[in-house]
Structures are given as C-alpha cells and as structure tokens.
Amino acid sequence: MAPEGQLEAIKGAKVLMVGAGGIGCELLKTVALSGFRDIHIIDMDTIEVSNLNRQFLFRKWHVGQSKAKVAREAVLKFKPDISITAYHANVKDPEFNVDFFKQFNVVLNGLDNLDARRHVNRLCLAADVPLVESGTTGFLGQVTVHVKGRTECYECQPKPTPKSYPVCTITSTPSKFVHCIVWAKDLLFAKLFGDKNQDNDLNIHSTDATNPSNNVEDVFEYKADEDSDQYGRRIYDHVFGYNIDLALANEETWKNRKKPTPLYLKDVMPKQLAKENGKLEKQKLADSVAVSAMSSLGLKNPQDIWNLEENTKIFLEAMKLFIEGREKDIGNLTFDKDDQLSVEFVTAAANIRASSFGIPMHSLFEAKGIAGNIVHAIATTNAIIAGLIVLEAIKVLQNDAENYRMTYCLEHPSRKMLLMPVEPFEPNKSCYVCSENPLSLEVNTLTTKLKDVVEKIVRSKLGMNSPMIMLGASLIFEVGEDLDEDEAANYASNLEKVLAKLPTPVTSGTMLKVEDLQQELSCNINIKHRDEFDEEKEPDGMVLSGWIQPSERRTQTTNNGEATSNAPASTSSLDDSDDLEILDTEPSALSGNKRKVAEISITGDSGPFKKSPATTNSNVVDIGNENGQPALDAADDDVVVMVHDESVHRKRARSQ
C-alpha cells in the first residue's frame, strides 16, 4: 500500500502526456491504474494497421481514427471515474503555449521525433514544469528526468545523429546495401514519382548516339508516344546500364575499387519476356487500392531473396503499376514504408544496383527495415519503460529530488541487472537552451543571405519554429499571423538580402538576439565574419558553436583505476522514441548508488564512452547506422540511435 502522502500527491496531480503510441498506450494505462485522476493527452497521429501488434488500446476497427481520442475511450472503459482530456493535435500548435503547460504538475513524453521533444523541453523550462522523457528501441529503453535548475535539460548535450553518407558515395561508389537503399529511395524513387523540380543528384541525360557532343532532354520525362512498358525499360537501361558505363569511363575512380557491371535489360531478360511482365489489366488496377507487383507476378514470401531476373520483373511491374494506377499522384509521392508498392520498387531497384556493384542482395523484409529505419518494437519494453516513467513522476510530485533516477533498460544483464539506474546530471552551464551563454556564428557577411541563417541555423539547428531576430533595437525578421501585409513583405524582402546589406547591417562583431515567443526561448548569437569555408566539411558556409561538443569530453583516471568523465553524459534524442548511446564498459560501471554528478564513473578497457559523430555536411542522405542497420523506428514512438564498439562484450547505457 502506498504511503498516504504519495496517494495525495497522485490524486491531486494534473498530468500532461505527449504521445499516444507505443509507449503512450502503456503509459496512459499505467498512469490511470496508479491513481492519477486528471490526465491530458496530446497526439496528432491516427491509428495504422502496423500499430495494432503493440499499441494494445487500439483495435482493427479503430484504424484511421485519432490515437489520443481512442486511447481515452479505451481507458475510461475500465477507469470511468477519472478525467481524461484528449487532444487530436500537434503539440507545436500555438494553443499549447507556456500558459497551457503551467497548469500541469508534470509532463510525460512519449514522442516520436527530436524536433517535438526539443519543443516540449523548452516549454517545460519556460513554464517551470518537470519533464519525464522516455524512449525505447527493441529491447533497449530509457527514462530520464529533467527538472529546471536541478538536472540537465533535454538539450544540455548534443544528440547523436543518424549515420549519413555523402551523396558521391551513394551515386558513384556504393559499397554496402544501405547505400543502394538510399539511392533507390531518396534519389530514384523521388526522381520518378516525386517533385520533378526538386534537386536530385541522379544523372538525367544520355548522349545522343548520332552526336556525342549533344545531350538529349531529361531521360526521366515520360514521352507522349510511349507506353508504361517502354518507359520502364528505358529507365532501367539508363540507370543500371548507361550510368554505370558512364561511371566506368572515369578510370581513376576504379584504381582501388572493384568495377561495377553495367546491366541492360536485353542481357537480364529476353525482350518478349520483358514485354509480358505482369499482365495486370487497367480495370484491375482501378479496382485495387493495395496494388502489389509481387501479387501480380505470383511472388508471395517477403523473406525470400529474389534473383536478378525476379528483381528486374518487380522493378518493371512496379513502375507500370505506378504509372497506370497512380497517374494522378505522380509528382507528389514520397516514399512510405507502409505502402507495399513503394517498398517493392525500392527493394527491387536497390537489389539490381547491389548486383551491379557486387553487393549481396536482400529480401523485401530486410530492405523494408532499412528503408523505413525500422527497429522492430517490443511491447514488453514499452510496458517496462511506462512503469519507470510513472515511478519517476511520483518522485517529482513528492519533490523527492534525492531519489530521481535516469534508468536504462538493457538487452542483456549487467551485474545481474537489466535495469540500470543512474543519478541525473546537473545542468550544463554551456547549454544555450537553459543557460544564457551566447552562441558564435562564423559566416561570410558579404555573401550569405538572411534566409540562409534563418533556415540553416535558427530553424534547423536551434529548432525555433516562430523565430524573431533583432539587432539592437531593430527587428530584422519575424514570422506570425498577426503581421500586417507591409510588415510581412518587409521581412520577406530582408530574407533575400545579404547580411551586410540589411537595413541594419549585420557585420563582424554584431550580436543578434534570436527569440521564439511560443517557446519563450531566446539566445544571443555573436557574428564573426569569415571569408572562406571548406565546401566538404562546411557546406553550409557557416559554423555555429557555443556548446560543448561530444568530442570535447575527456576522462580522468581516479585512484581506484576508474575512468571518470569530467563532463556530464548527454541526454538522448530518440526518434519514435529517444536516442540512446550505448557505452562500452565493464559491469562495475554504473549502479543505483547515490553519487555526485562529477563522480559518475565509467570503467573498463574502452576508456571514454564513444560518441556519435556530429554531421555538418548538408550534402548527405541520412539512414541507419554504419553497419547498415536502421537507426530509428518510424513505426513506433520509441527509437534509439546506438553507438557501440564490437571489441567490448558488455555494454552500458547512458543517455546521449
């Protein structure tokens, strides 16, 4: 039986839950059964079939309905005496402002992306409301506590970034299957079925055979005098044959690499067989929503690895089905891991390219996992993490700061423990979110436009949604629905001006103040002019600094031989859950014993824990980790980026 004081704290609390997915379903059930009586829950998503295997509050007939509202109805059936308010909305909507957050005693996160997590973190700081973060991926999970002034905030440390690959590797010299997946999904699929005007690194021209010095029009343009079969064969020969031949012409590239093999349709399939590929009538296309190239060709098992001819058939059939069955959507399509035809096309295209470059081919099941960044969710992990969230929430409500814990759920026991509790770290004094330290931006003020600073720095890196930029008393940029036409036009024109030519010039030594009124966040940016930047290492033409980078952390050896970090480990940033960093240590490293922040120690032969390298190159495509395995699970609200060293047998979790 819980102590009387604990019961009173629970019953009198007003709780905000953000997210009603994998963790959210378990959490709402656990919160309700633990005695909480006033619960609010926000989620913008609707229920999908793929949710049903672990989000147990939902049933098949709920597909397409609001997650938050259905979860509310399901819980009220077994706890009708409590109040649950559901919002089918985005937590970043203006209505969920600081005043809205101030009404709650604690906020519990079960979100699915970094941007929303940062937004909630900032609102909790502004409203002075404790936040309990969480995340899972497979058997791994974590719960962290963030209390203003007592523990580090969610953004006190840089987050690990998903593994990225330079476009040149994707387009020219793939060496792993994940490279082929990225090429098929983000380049070929996007070029064929997405926005035609979007920049794309695929070679779109072929040389006119009668005049090699001339280039014909865009190969990817669908011609009026050809049918879908002819178009598909032409694209096949261009991307798998002609472009490979073109790459082979650069002999320098292949001096130390295995040369790829150009693949032309005539060599893979007889012409007549290519023409007869499929045989799905247009009437059948019109009648079927879930059109499948596999079904059309009689292939059933998604775990089979197709040979080159089968992949070619799937490729051509998928193109035909897109063109004849989704003609109205072409030009607006984006890859969707839940769209069977999209997954079939990407799998086939990736396998054909892999075959050309001597890379082992994969099954549709495996390819879908990589293309969709899927780490298959474990319902039991979600349930464990939900229970830990509630335990920390109760401590927060009782102001039991001495017993706050960051707890990590491990896949394999360490010191006979699967749950590893660690005392939270203190706030990072260099954090630009919860401290007042200024940032520094190196930029060429004579060539860089204000819009580049707004998009690449203020929005992308600082995560501000409704930014306002001031220089002294002058307002040089603002967004908002309350602006009149003249103001909006003035700020829009400022975006196209270089920094030094603004009405109030931004030059070296200038201090910009950047605010997001919705998040009640402000920070100062010191401008430093710099003439030149390395195009490969600094493609943005700007360098933002001002917080502790992961590479700056060091370890010290204490008297007992332990390696002790002199900087706090960072909190995670899971997508579909949270990002975890797996530390390579011996089992004596972390325990639930109380220690000061500076005394948290990590032992083992691996020395300092590994960090995920920060990626500043904008000319890259993101996917998975360096082993080609998916890094984030977009199908659940609980995902983790993992960093590991195969030479160390035992692993320890610490938030990043």
Side-chain angles (χ1 to χ4, degrees), residues 357-372:
F357 282 85
I359 300 168
M361 294 189 285
H362 287 55
S363 68
L364 180 134
F365 179 81
E366 294 168 322
K368 180 180 179 179
I370 298 172

Side-chain angles (χ1 to χ4, degrees), residues 302-327:
Q303 298 198 37
D304 286 343
I305 298 178
W306 305 324
N307 59 33
L308 179 57
E309 185 176 313
E310 289 171 329
N311 277 293
T312 298
K313 289 180 179 179
I314 289 287
F315 178 88
L316 296 173
E317 187 66 15
M319 282 200 63
K320 177 180 178 181
L321 296 178
F322 270 117
I323 293 169
E324 297 183 5
R326 303 188 186 179
E327 185 178 2

